[in-house]
Amino acid sequence: IYGSKAIYSFIPKNGCSTLRYSLAKANGCIDGADDIAWIHQNNTTFAASLSEMLTADYTFVILRCPYSRLVSVFLDKIVDQGRVFETFNRSWTKTLPTVAQVQTRMRKRITGNGPIFPDQFTFRDFVNLLHRERILYSDMHWTPQSAFLVYDKYDSVFQQENFSEAVSTLREKIGFEVCDARSLTSHGTTHLGKADDQFFADTPLTVLRQMKQEGTVPAYTAMYDQSIRESVADIYAEDFTTYNTHFGSKDLLFG
């Protein structure tokens, strides 16, 4: 952030569209909502140099409960079956020797473009595949948050679950105005109804996508059983340690 010589460590799914939109406005590259598409076409415009990082007057980052972040990316990027889904699809393909083996594993029902079949693939399948390092780091949206940290110590570490604190502190400390971009993008689920009347971890993508198109998504807690919770805790162990160091466990989805 040029005017205040501040550095923000970008972490996908942690208020990132709102922060990138706010940065673009603060740095004078866009005027407002009509220019929201600019932030998706210029992701590296404000990438800091080493000298800028070493001489920054203020540094901050936003962390998020790993349980919530993973469901968020699944409902956004996997269920919608867009560009990120295709990246995930290709990553999985590279880990399997032949298409024939994939077809056997998925009972030979081909309903999609590639080895992931939307009428069968579930959140449980997604979590199980993340145990493979190649897949875990194949896309920034589910890459562990710890991979984005560039400082051992930040001036401010905020939590997504208490975003209003970040808004007020950034205004007070560096005069940075955070402009809510959630209504300008289709990335979040805050505007959708939340279903918590059943367990959805084994519900296939096709069903979840239909639910979403009709205005409802599963509540985050409805995507977890004990087995999945343990898997996510293992895969994202460093993220949980970092989050708990700063905030404790009270605001975790399963505190």
Side-chain angles (χ1 to χ4, degrees):
I1 307 174
Y2 300 123
S4 55
K5 290 188 65 178
I7 295 291
Y8 154 61
S9 286
F10 158 78
I11 301 179
K13 303 308 293 180
N14 293 14
C16 61
S17 292
T18 285
L19 267 295
R20 288 185 297 134
Y21 175 63
S22 302
L23 260 70
K25 289 187 67 176
N27 286 339
C29 287
I30 64 174
D31 291 324
D34 290 342
D35 301 317
I36 186 66
W38 186 94
I39 69 171
H40 305 301
Q41 299 163 1
N42 295 273
N43 275 324
T44 62
T45 298
F46 306 127
S49 66
L50 178 59
S51 62
E52 288 169 332
M53 286 190 286
L54 290 174
T55 60
D57 289 337
Y58 179 74
T59 61
F60 71 98
V61 67
I62 295 175
L63 302 180
R64 185 176 188 179
C65 165
Y67 292 125
S68 298
R69 179 175 181 255
L70 193 59
V71 177
S72 177
V73 71
F74 179 78
L75 294 176
D76 179 18
K77 303 301 181 183
I78 302 300
V79 168
D80 284 358
Q81 300 172 45
R83 179 187 58 80
V84 174
F85 173 79
E86 293 303 324
T87 297
F88 180 52
N89 215 344
R90 289 193 298 271
S91 298
W92 185 16
T93 303
K94 293 176 183 177
T95 69
L96 296 170
T98 66
V99 172
Q101 288 179 332
V102 178
Q103 292 174 350
T104 299
R105 172 179 175 148
M106 302 301 284
R107 300 189 294 279
K108 298 183 180 180
R109 294 177 60 195
I110 301 177
T111 59
N113 297 321
I116 294 178
F117 309 119
D119 68 338
Q120 298 178 46
F121 193 76
T122 68
F123 182 64
R124 188 185 303 277
D125 295 328
F126 179 61
V127 172
N128 287 339
L129 287 172
L130 293 178
H131 281 286
R132 305 178 187 185
E133 187 172 285
R134 176 184 292 177
I135 292 179
L136 180 62
Y137 291 91
S138 66
D139 186 271
M140 65 181 178
H141 294 90
W142 55 77
T143 289
Q145 298 172 67
S146 55
F148 295 88
L149 304 179
V150 296
Y151 295 102
D152 288 332
K153 184 177 181 180
Y154 284 81
D155 292 309
S156 294
V157 179
F158 303 111
Q159 60 182 145
Q160 175 83 7
E161 295 74 22
N162 189 14
F163 199 79
S164 60
E165 179 185 352
V167 174
S168 59
T169 300
L170 291 172
R171 180 185 297 119
E172 176 186 342
K173 287 186 176 293
I174 59 173
F176 179 63
E177 291 295 330
V178 177
C179 306
D180 193 339
R182 287 176 297 178
S183 64
L184 305 178
T185 70
S186 58
H187 299 165
T189 59
T190 55
H191 62 293
L192 299 174
K194 306 300 186 295
D196 60 2
D197 57 338
Q198 65 184 85
F199 180 59
F200 292 96
D202 298 312
T203 303
L205 298 185
T206 48
V207 176
L208 294 174
R209 188 178 187 184
Q210 182 64 34
M211 284 178 58
K212 191 173 181 181
Q213 290 172 343
E214 293 173 357
T216 303
V217 291
Y220 288 179
T221 53
M223 299 295 281
Y224 285 93
D225 60 12
Q226 187 62 33
S227 175
I228 297 174
R229 283 174 59 179
E230 291 175 356
S231 290
V232 172
D234 177 50
I235 295 167
Y236 292 95
E238 187 173 356
D239 285 358
F240 279 101
T241 297
T242 302
Y243 186 95
N244 289 339
T245 296
H246 290 284
F247 312 116
S249 62
K250 62 181 177 63
D251 291 321
L252 291 174
L253 193 61
F254 306 102

